[in-house]
Coordinates of all heavy atoms in Angstrom, one line a residue:
A1083 N -80.2 -63.1 90.0 CA -80.6 -63.5 88.7 C -80.7 -65.0 88.7 O -79.9 -65.7 89.4 CB -79.7 -63.0 87.6
A1084 N -81.5 -65.6 87.8 CA -81.6 -67.0 87.7 C -82.2 -67.4 86.4 O -82.9 -66.6 85.8 CB -82.5 -67.6 88.8
V1085 N -81.9 -68.6 85.9 CA -82.4 -69.1 84.7 C -83.2 -70.4 85.1 O -82.7 -71.3 85.6 CB -81.3 -69.5 83.7 CG1 -81.9 -70.0 82.4 CG2 -80.5 -68.2 83.4
V1086 N -84.5 -70.3 84.7 CA -85.4 -71.4 85.1 C -86.3 -71.8 83.9 O -86.7 -71.0 83.2 CB -86.4 -70.9 86.3 CG1 -87.3 -72.0 86.7 CG2 -85.5 -70.5 87.5
D1087 N -86.5 -73.1 83.8 CA -87.4 -73.5 82.7 C -88.8 -73.7 83.2 O -89.1 -73.7 84.4 CB -86.9 -74.8 82.0 CG -87.0 -76.1 82.8 OD1 -87.8 -76.1 83.8 OD2 -86.3 -77.1 82.4
D1088 N -89.8 -74.0 82.3 CA -91.2 -74.0 82.7 C -91.6 -75.2 83.4 O -92.8 -75.4 83.8 CB -92.1 -73.7 81.4 CG -91.9 -74.8 80.3 OD1 -91.1 -75.7 80.6 OD2 -92.4 -74.6 79.2
T1089 N -90.7 -76.2 83.6 CA -91.0 -77.3 84.5 C -90.5 -77.1 85.9 O -90.7 -78.0 86.8 CB -90.4 -78.6 83.9 OG1 -89.0 -78.5 84.0 CG2 -90.9 -78.9 82.5
G1090 N -89.8 -76.0 86.1 CA -89.3 -75.7 87.5 C -87.9 -76.1 87.7 O -87.4 -76.0 88.8
N1091 N -87.2 -76.5 86.6 CA -85.7 -76.8 86.8 C -84.9 -75.5 86.9 O -85.1 -74.6 86.0 CB -85.2 -77.6 85.6 CG -85.7 -79.0 85.6 OD1 -85.8 -79.6 86.6 ND2 -86.1 -79.5 84.4
V1092 N -84.2 -75.3 87.9 CA -83.3 -74.2 88.1 C -82.0 -74.5 87.4 O -81.2 -75.3 87.9 CB -83.0 -73.8 89.6 CG1 -82.1 -72.6 89.7 CG2 -84.4 -73.6 90.3
L1093 N -81.8 -73.9 86.2 CA -80.6 -74.1 85.4 C -79.4 -73.4 85.9 O -78.2 -73.9 85.7 CB -80.9 -73.8 83.9 CG -82.2 -74.5 83.4 CD1 -82.4 -74.1 82.0 CD2 -82.0 -76.0 83.5
G1094 N -79.6 -72.2 86.4 CA -78.4 -71.4 86.9 C -78.9 -70.3 87.8 O -80.0 -69.8 87.6
E1095 N -78.1 -69.9 88.7 CA -78.5 -68.7 89.6 C -77.3 -68.0 90.1 O -76.2 -68.6 90.2 CB -79.4 -69.2 90.7 CG -78.8 -70.2 91.7 CD -79.6 -70.4 92.9 OE1 -80.0 -69.4 93.5 OE2 -79.8 -71.6 93.3

Side-chain angles (χ1 to χ4, degrees):
V1085 180
V1086 179
D1087 71 19
D1088 57 8
T1089 66
N1091 288 319
V1092 179
L1093 306 176
E1095 62 171 311

